[in-house]
Amino acid sequence: MTKANLPDTLALDQLAVGVRAHISDIDWSILAVGDALRLKNFGFDEGVAIEALHLGPFGRDPLAVKVGRMTVAIRRAHAAAVRVVPLAA
């Protein structure tokens, strides 16, 4: 089973607005080195709490997400590398 097919997970770009989740895995290999470093600097790591806050107006890009206590904007292509486990409401 690949990481993309882990049960009960979905890509961050598929997380509905207002839903809280925890990061279960990040596929660093599909990100450019600079993009991976940027996400790491923003606090993206396994186990971190995350919430989708807002979708951009054109093609739903960029996404505004809350990572820990910080709000950041990331591209959908980068969010697709982040697997999350939604939390029950």
Side-chain angles (χ1 to χ4, degrees):
M1 181 177 298
T2 65
K3 290 181 181 181
N5 295 326
L6 291 173
D8 302 323
T9 69
L10 62 143
L12 176 57
D13 65 326
Q14 300 299 311
L15 187 65
V17 171
V19 175
R20 299 169 80 186
H22 280 103
I23 298 174
S24 66
D25 185 63
I26 301 172
D27 188 354
W28 300 111
S29 67
I30 65 172
L31 297 169
V33 174
D35 296 333
L37 181 59
R38 180 175 174 257
L39 291 184
K40 287 179 183 180
N41 287 337
F42 282 147
F44 281 74
D45 202 2
E46 286 82 5
V48 172
I50 196 162
E51 179 181 358
L53 298 176
H54 180 73
L55 302 175
F58 303 106
R60 300 173 41 156
D61 208 10
L63 288 83
V65 294
K66 186 173 184 180
V67 182
R69 298 185 325 170
M70 183 174 25
T71 300
V72 298
I74 64 171
R75 294 183 174 115
R76 291 180 62 74
H78 300 151
V82 180
R83 301 296 299 179
V84 298
V85 177
L87 300 176

